[in-house]
Amino acid sequence: MIIGKIFNNNAIIASDTGKSEFVVMGRGIAFKKKVGEPVDQSLVEKIFVLQQKEASEKFKLLLEDVPPEYISLCYDIIEYGKNMLDVPLSDYIYVTLTDHMNNALKLLDEGITTTNPLSWEIRRIYPKEFGIGRKALEFIGESLGKTLPEDEAANVAMHLINAQIDRPSRQTENISAQTGKISDILNIVKYTYGSAPDESSLSYERFITHLRFFFQRIGQPARGELEDDFLLKQVKSKYKRAYGCMLKVEKYLQIELPDEEKLYLTLHIHRVTREAVP
């Protein structure tokens, strides 16, 4: 690897024989080095290979202003998140999470703490991501000796949720709106049945997953109506309460759901509530 650009003693852009560029970090990796010199492989600690060009360029800009230890820490948090969630994440999370954490830590140093009004909902609806957020706060405490408020665990979770969608144009505010709607739908189910679904059940996890992808489908071309509405008629007849609850959800969303969505939403409502009702 050859040094292409030096940001500071601990961060550089390097290129390989195939002319591919990537960010390389390591303590003292650029100390007394010049552009064009080979990289000391023994000092390499982390390599950022960002496939999305726009994300890569924005990440390089962050290297100009963000302390290397923050960048390294966010890298560890993201890699931990990938392993725990076992899903691909958009390259943009290296930009968005690093930028957010840099700002959050700056505010903390100034004695300013912020809150996330959706912290409770995120903890309830996205427990895996929220758990990773909590672990991130532990990493920060151990590495930097700084204690961020627990609401920051929800903020980390939101970045992970957004990165799973893999649409950089979609902003965190959209995830906030989606989270609020999912919470409202869960409350509709709760008040229809008189008890809350078991949040530890597999049916609950599947229901949340269905709702997440349901909101991604809104605004996209319809997948088409059911070829035969026999199944929907059967479900409507067999699971009257769940079907009625689905209609309440449809009314709340103020959209007309395709028959296919009605079918699967009714089935998910039935499954998530069947252990909760007498």
Side-chain angles (χ1 to χ4, degrees), residues 137 146 168 189 201 219 246 248 269 277:
L137 300 191
K146 298 176 185 286
V189 174
S201 69
M246 179 278 298
K248 292 178 183 178
I269 290 171
V277 291

Side-chain angles (χ1 to χ4, degrees), residues 3-235:
I3 298 174
K5 181 177 180 177
I6 296 174
F7 292 102
N8 51 57
N9 283 340
N10 306 310
I12 62 172
I13 290 178
S15 59
D16 58 18
T17 53
K19 303 300 180 182
S20 296
E21 284 191 344
F22 32 85
V23 174
V24 181
M25 297 188 69
R27 188 176 297 278
I29 198 165
F31 182 65
K32 292 185 177 181
K33 291 284 187 177
K34 296 179 180 178
V35 171
E37 292 185 351
V39 176
D40 185 343
Q41 300 281 354
S42 67
L43 297 177
V44 174
E45 295 176 8
K46 293 180 174 67
I47 297 178
F48 296 76
V49 182
L50 305 186
Q51 302 297 333
Q52 294 168 292
K53 186 175 180 181
E54 187 179 351
S56 178
E57 293 304 313
K58 288 183 178 179
F59 185 72
K60 290 172 186 175
L61 290 175
L62 284 179
L63 289 169
E64 304 277 4
D65 302 313
V66 179
E69 60 268 28
Y70 291 6
I71 294 171
S72 180
L73 188 56
C74 287
Y75 175 93
D76 292 339
I77 291 168
I78 293 165
E79 292 303 305
Y80 175 77
K82 283 182 179 178
N83 291 331
M84 295 301 294
L85 295 171
D86 195 26
V87 294
L89 299 178
S90 166
D91 283 349
Y92 273 84
I93 193 170
Y94 290 97
V95 177
T96 60
L97 184 62
T98 303
D99 186 51
H100 172 83
M101 277 301 169
N102 182 49
N103 289 327
L105 290 164
K106 278 183 180 178
L107 290 174
L108 183 70
D109 290 341
E110 295 170 8
I112 302 170
T113 56
T114 58
T115 60
N116 186 326
L118 289 172
S119 183
W120 185 85
E121 285 85 353
I122 292 168
R123 184 184 317 184
R124 174 190 181 198
I125 297 170
Y126 304 104
K128 288 183 180 178
E129 289 84 354
F130 188 82
I132 294 167
R134 275 185 162 168
K135 195 68 177 178
L137 300 191
E138 290 182 21
F139 290 162
I140 291 167
E142 293 167 1
S143 301
L144 305 176
K146 298 176 185 286
T147 304
L148 286 167
E150 191 175 62
D151 275 16
E152 280 299 333
N155 290 331
V156 172
M158 290 180 73
H159 283 283
L160 291 167
I161 296 160
N162 197 44
Q164 289 175 56
I165 293 175
D166 199 20
R167 291 180 189 170
S169 61
R170 224 178 145 102
Q171 300 298 315
T172 302
E173 287 78 4
N174 298 91
I175 299 300
S176 299
Q178 181 188 113
T179 301
K181 288 178 180 177
I182 291 176
S183 182
D184 288 343
I185 291 171
L186 290 171
N187 283 330
I188 290 171
V189 174
K190 175 182 176 180
Y191 290 117
T192 298
Y193 283 82
S195 59
D198 179 3
E199 296 180 12
S200 64
S201 69
L202 184 58
S203 294
Y204 181 88
E205 184 175 337
R206 287 172 176 166
F207 184 40
I208 296 299
T209 300
H210 176 81
L211 290 175
R212 289 171 65 177
F213 284 100
F214 165 76
F215 282 112
Q216 289 183 47
R217 291 193 295 272
I218 290 178
Q220 294 183 358
R223 293 183 295 179
E225 291 293 309
L226 292 172
E227 292 183 7
D228 187 347
D229 64 356
F230 174 76
L231 278 176
L232 182 59
K233 288 179 178 177
Q234 288 290 99
V235 166

